[in-house]
Amino acid sequence: MLAPALESAGHELVDALDAAEAMVDFTRPDAVVGNVEAALAAGIPCVVGTSGWEAEHERVGKAAEAAGLAVFFAPNFAVGAVLMMRFAAEAARHLPRAEIVELHHETKLDAPSGTAKATAAAIGGDLPIHSVRLPGLVAHQEVLLGGPGQLLTIRHDAYSREAYVPGVLLALGRLRSLPPGLTIGLEALL
């Protein structure tokens, strides 16, 4: 899904780092850090969408700073998902309780998802997160916020990976203007 969209937007896909202007990584948690470190060593800034490698953020950030390059990571590249997180954080200021239900395809490696963790962090407190992994799903999340006599549900549904393309293109377009080090979250670019 991403490769044709990148080419359609005018980006040229290459197989070797020495021919790249930027690296886009949507791989696996056990591969992403090595990929990013190789790109940084080659002088290449990075856009990363790989879920489940949060423990390595500090290491990658320090390596990017030392290289004088930007690494951009987002737990979710769907603009609607970022807005859902923003709206939920605002709503949580006015409603006393919240819980998150996130539903993803059965092959998703992390549970809870990075988006659910980022939403909980934006809201604050120790929110319950309910993770569902089933065939037929892509990526869905709802934040339920309750108060006396009322419930507010804020939901985002990604029905295909096409939902992530505009966010990746935005990150690529802004990558060279980001400060050296690690920038986290599409909300930093909106």
Side-chain angles (χ1 to χ4, degrees), residues 136-189:
L137 298 171
V138 176
H140 314 269
Q141 179 173 295
E142 61 185 17
V143 182
L144 298 101
L145 300 112
Q150 63 182 321
L151 174 72
L152 172 63
T153 301
I154 302 171
R155 182 176 174 109
H156 177 261
D157 295 289
Y159 296 109
S160 80
R161 298 190 189 290
E162 183 179 25
Y164 308 121
V165 171
V168 173
L169 292 173
L170 175 63
L172 277 172
R174 301 276 300 277
L175 189 59
R176 296 269 178 200
S177 66
L178 294 176
L182 179 64
T183 300
I184 298 176
L186 197 59
E187 63 275 8
L189 305 181

Side-chain angles (χ1 to χ4, degrees), residues 23-85:
M23 181 187 77
V24 178
D25 189 293
F26 281 83
T27 58
R28 298 178 51 88
D30 58 351
V32 66
V33 175
N35 294 342
V36 170
E37 289 176 339
L40 294 173
I44 307 297
C46 306
V47 171
V48 180
T50 302
S51 294
W53 66 284
E54 290 84 3
E56 303 290 340
H57 284 180
E58 186 176 340
R59 173 178 162 187
V60 167
K62 287 180 180 178
E65 283 179 26
L69 296 166
V71 172
F72 178 81
F73 167 72
N76 197 316
F77 280 87
V79 173
V82 174
L83 293 172
M84 176 261 313
M85 290 187 276

Side-chain angles (χ1 to χ4, degrees), residues 113-130:
S113 69
T115 301
K117 290 177 186 176
T119 305
I123 291 173
D126 188 22
L127 272 70
I129 299 173
H130 309 277

